[in-house]
Amino acid sequence: MIDTHAHLDFPEFDPDRDTLVQQMLEQGISNAIIPGVAPALWQRQLAIAQQYGFYYALGIHPWYCPLKNDVDISELKLLINSRRQDHALVAIGECGLDKLRQDTWPFQQAWLEAQLQLADELGLPVILHCVRAHEELLTLLSRHSPSRRGVIHGFYGAPELAARYFRLGYRLGIGGLLLNEDARKLHLTVQHLPLDAFILETDSPAMAPKSAIDRRNTPLLIAQIVAKMANLQKKSSVLISERLSENAVQLFEL
Ligand SMILES: [Zn+2]
């Protein structure tokens, strides 16, 4: 299994990253994708990805986009071009829209559009972050989707919303929020959409389920997410983990 979204480069993992990676392997989580967040963090992210053999994406998160409209992603382009031969670089992202961040909101759309364009030029999929801006994101994606599409990560919406993304060719990243008893819309989404619509992720160290909210999230949560999906889809955990791994392999060409 692959955790398709884990910030394993974050300092929360500095004290025990080696041990955690060992535990991941013991539990059959063979790899993870570390998404890019901000230019200032890219070098550290790349160093950790390389050290452990993790996959990675490069991009600018909507919380960290520069507060200007004259978008210049030449630094991102340059870095990606220098790594085009690296098979571990699998996507652009994470990028997207987040209405809860009022400070960057006026600038987010321009930064997202530039990264969608870049993904299309480079033939890479995108990892998308979206909070309370689904109509805006769907409008944008219906106009300018990169050819390889991508994933709406940390998805927690209703089946109707999920189906709109799936019809546009996007997958939904399902993580720890599925384990919350009150996540009814998300439970319905997992029940009603085909397995092809989903990939597995944790967004570690964030997005711990409520039962573990005071604790750091880790990729080790994947087994519980698979078990919950198996329960909701009335299928075996083995089948769920196989099919969702295939989806990740297909989307990111791993
Ligand atoms: Zn993330």
Side-chain angles (χ1 to χ4, degrees), residues 133-208:
H134 289 290
E135 289 308 322
E136 289 87 344
L137 182 59
L138 279 157
T139 304
L140 209 65
L141 295 179
S142 59
R143 278 190 268 133
H144 322 275
S145 265
S147 59
R148 279 183 55 195
R149 304 296 195 268
V151 58
I152 313 304
H153 114 81
F155 188 78
Y156 58 89
E160 298 74 21
L161 181 62
R164 290 171 72 193
Y165 282 116
F166 189 50
R167 275 199 296 276
L168 282 176
Y170 289 83
R171 286 190 160 103
L172 296 320
I174 304 295
L177 299 180
L178 189 71
L179 303 177
N180 291 338
E181 283 309 316
D182 58 356
R184 285 187 202 89
K185 283 192 285 190
L186 182 55
H187 293 167
L188 287 171
T189 293
V190 168
Q191 270 166 349
H192 293 295
L193 266 79
L195 275 183
D196 275 356
F198 305 118
I199 57 174
L200 291 167
E201 63 161 71
T202 62
D203 204 14
S204 301
M207 283 217 208

Side-chain angles (χ1 to χ4, degrees), residues 5 7 94 153 203:
H5 197 115
H7 297 278
E94 60 182 296
H153 114 81
D203 204 14

